[in-house]
Amino acid sequence: MPHASFHFPPGFLWGTATAAHQVEGNNTNNNWWDWEQQEGRIVQGQKSGLADDWWGGRWREDFDRAAESGQNAHRMSVEWSRIQPAPDRWDEHALDHYREMVRGLVSRGMTPMITLHHFTDPLWLMERGGWEDAGTPALFAAFAGRVVEALKEYVNLWVTINEPNVYAYIGYLEGAFPPGKHDLNAAFRVMTNLARGHGLAYKTIHGQQKQAQVGLAQNYRSFQPARSWLPLDVWAARLQHNLFNNSMVKAVTAGKMDLLTSHFRLPEAAHTLDFLGVNYYTRDMVAFSLGAASQGFSLRSLPSDRAISENRFIASVPEGMFEALKWGRAFGAPMMVTENGVEDSTDALRPRYIIEHIHQIWRAVNFNWPVNGYFHWSLVDNFEWERGWTQRFGLWGLDTSTQARKKRSSADLYAEICRLNGIDDAMVQKYAPEALPGLFPG
Ligand code: FCB
């Protein structure tokens, strides 16, 4: 029986994404570990603990899972506090460990993508002011140089910084990430220094590896006015979009950052984007509110007419993925979807979420927009920051008390997608028949 299908171009990267602190375990020398020890910081007082025990060696079995299910790429991060445990010390054992991991990916036929900074910072760095300090960008570039030296034999896809907008927003305005500040000026300082750090790291990486492809991973949120007929809501949604989605990417392309009424010139960050990593999860409806001055006069909520995830963290809005790629394309760099997924311990929503979001990527690719890969968040359940273990994003589930992995049916679905390099009607029928009329109207 011939099948109707959507195919991706040959060479498209299919993988999952992970981050060091969320999977390694025992990352005792960074600011998140410290944060987890403080009362009231993490839901139900949960801790990263052993996480998925990747530092103890379980990356091997998880990389086997990824490779055996047809994935040809993996995005992972390296932990700065392990590699540079003190300002004047580099840990060669840690670098060897990461070298072994990336070799493990390559030997399993997977292209590694390495993130250099994924939310965590060494304790010593925070003691000297973290990303508020003007000296941090250069320290980060030096760290990047050390990592590239160690891994360049196996890696040429680099993400400098994961979601700098989320890091600055949640850590310095909302206060739910360390250092838990509510300080607009600090947030702006952090944003500009992150852009500088990216720019310096970009140059360092290229200085050591000519063929390197260097990008950053931007969290794109689809902001829509809650009441489309109300100009104040339209204004508020626009403001969120400019602040959250545009500011960092404009900095690393045009060398300018606009944050509300402040405008920064960042020549050291201009033209430092070989590819744009797009992390897309959900949409926010934005309503103007005079009482919400500190949040840009905006109240955000998830759209009420969409499927909502278990803990009300994500609304499934697949066309927001298309919107994100349309937006990203305007910056002129090729793109990768560096994260996309949904928290769903019972796998009730995930199969449909995966199919419909990948279908939107296919639409973009079909318009000949340069999208070269998709990394699902995530391979195995992992430690979800201030939400601890309450959110389960894995294709495989994790029992934290035994380290046992349990395959969810989405893992089989994703394996079929990776193997076909596309989506066909049979798999939609099998895993998410409710999505069939939307994708393959018979
Ligand atoms: C992203 C983060 C990632 C993970 C997912 C669910 O914002 O980059 O580490 O927590 O959300």
Side-chain angles (χ1 to χ4, degrees), residues 120-142:
T120 55
D121 291 294
L123 284 172
W124 61 262
L125 188 83
M126 293 313 288
E127 275 157 26
R128 52 190 309 295
W131 287 91
E132 283 182 75
D133 186 85
T136 295
L139 291 171
F140 176 64

Side-chain angles (χ1 to χ4, degrees), residues 19 22 118-119 162-163 219 279 281 313 339 377 384-385 387 393:
Q22 294 178 271
H118 197 124
F119 290 169
N162 179 70
E163 300 186 349
N219 183 297
N279 294 1
Y281 288 91
F313 191 62
E339 284 181 33
W377 187 275
E384 278 297 337
W385 310 112
R387 292 150 273 129
F393 277 90

Side-chain angles (χ1 to χ4, degrees), residues 72-197:
N72 62 13
H74 184 76
R75 174 179 172 226
M76 56 173 266
S77 81
V78 292
E79 172 62 34
W80 189 353
S81 65
R82 287 195 194 273
I83 292 169
Q84 191 176 9
D88 56 354
R89 204 150 57 77
W90 301 93
D91 186 336
E92 290 301 327
H93 292 297
L95 285 168
D96 282 344
H97 193 280
Y98 287 122
R99 202 157 31 228
E100 208 187 330
M101 289 177 76
V102 293
R103 207 188 301 122
L105 287 171
V106 173
S107 69
R108 287 168 177 79
M110 294 189 282
T111 300
M113 176 189 278
I114 296 295
T115 307
L116 294 162
H117 185 281
H118 197 124
F119 290 169
T120 55
D121 291 294
L123 284 172
W124 61 262
L125 188 83
M126 293 313 288
E127 275 157 26
R128 52 190 309 295
W131 287 91
E132 283 182 75
D133 186 85
T136 295
L139 291 171
F140 176 64
F143 158 68
R146 216 45 199 232
V147 176
V148 172
E149 200 48 50
L151 305 186
K152 68 179 177 189
E153 186 182 347
Y154 303 104
V155 180
N156 58 27
L157 283 175
W158 306 95
V159 170
T160 53
I161 301 173
N162 179 70
E163 300 186 349
N165 57 343
V166 169
Y167 176 92
Y169 179 77
I170 307 191
Y172 292 84
L173 276 182
E174 215 179 51
F177 280 11
K181 293 194 177 179
H182 308 273
D183 179 342
L184 193 65
N185 286 326
F188 286 6
R189 257 199 313 281
V190 167
M191 280 292 277
T192 51
N193 281 332
L194 286 164
R196 289 189 184 100

Side-chain angles (χ1 to χ4, degrees), residues 211-431:
Q211 79 280 16
Q213 292 291 304
V214 185
L216 62 73
Q218 163 73 22
N219 183 297
Y220 180 92
R221 279 182 96 94
S222 163
F223 295 107
Q224 300 293 325
R227 295 154 292 190
S228 55
W229 44 268
L230 191 67
L232 283 172
D233 284 7
V234 175
W235 175 84
R238 196 77 221 152
L239 182 133
Q240 295 293 327
H241 175 71
N242 283 332
L243 207 55
F244 196 80
N245 294 332
N246 279 339
S247 54
M248 182 57 67
V249 186
K250 193 167 166 196
V252 299
T253 49
K256 291 179 196 152
M257 188 181 272
D258 303 319
L259 297 168
L260 301 176
T261 52
S262 305
H263 306 282
F264 302 89
R265 298 188 59 80
L266 299 164
E268 61 274 61
H271 314 300
T272 57
L273 199 67
D274 299 329
F275 72 92
L276 175 61
V278 176
N279 294 1
Y280 170 74
Y281 288 91
T282 194
R283 166 172 289 175
D284 273 323
M285 308 309 285
V286 183
F288 177 83
S289 159
L290 256 186
S294 64
Q295 288 114 275
F297 299 103
S298 305
L299 292 179
R300 297 176 178 194
S301 59
L302 295 179
S304 53
D305 56 344
R306 301 304 184 114
I308 306 284
S309 68
E310 225 171 343
N311 295 281
R312 305 198 58 77
F313 191 62
I314 287 167
S316 179
V317 185
E319 69 271 29
M321 175 66 88
F322 186 79
E323 177 194 310
L325 297 172
K326 184 174 181 183
W327 161 83
R329 177 176 168 258
F331 293 95
M335 292 177 281
M336 300 265 192
V337 176
T338 34
E339 284 181 33
N340 169 247
V342 63
E343 45 114 7
D344 183 10
S345 65
T346 62
D347 216 35
L349 174 58
R350 187 178 290 103
R352 179 173 190 174
Y353 184 98
I354 291 178
I355 287 172
E356 293 183 339
H357 283 75
I358 291 178
H359 173 237
Q360 293 292 327
I361 301 170
W362 176 83
R363 285 184 60 215
V365 170
N366 196 42
F367 284 171
N368 212 11
W369 299 354
V371 187
N372 300 325
Y374 173 83
F375 294 82
H376 188 75
W377 187 275
S378 185
L379 181 55
V380 185
D381 288 343
N382 56 56
F383 180 72
E384 278 297 337
W385 310 112
E386 85 285 12
R387 292 150 273 129
W389 295 97
T390 59
Q391 296 193 354
R392 302 296 181 138
F393 277 90
L395 295 175
W396 273 263
L398 175 77
D399 180 336
T400 51
S401 56
T402 61
Q403 282 294 322
R405 275 76 168 146
K406 191 160 182 242
K407 190 162 74 169
R408 299 196 169 107
S409 105
S410 286
D412 288 327
L413 162 65
Y414 191 53
E416 289 195 30
I417 293 173
C418 297
R419 291 205 184 94
L420 182 70
N421 196 23
I423 299 175
D424 71 11
D425 58 348
M427 63 177 90
V428 179
Q429 176 69 52
K430 181 167 164 197
Y431 294 98

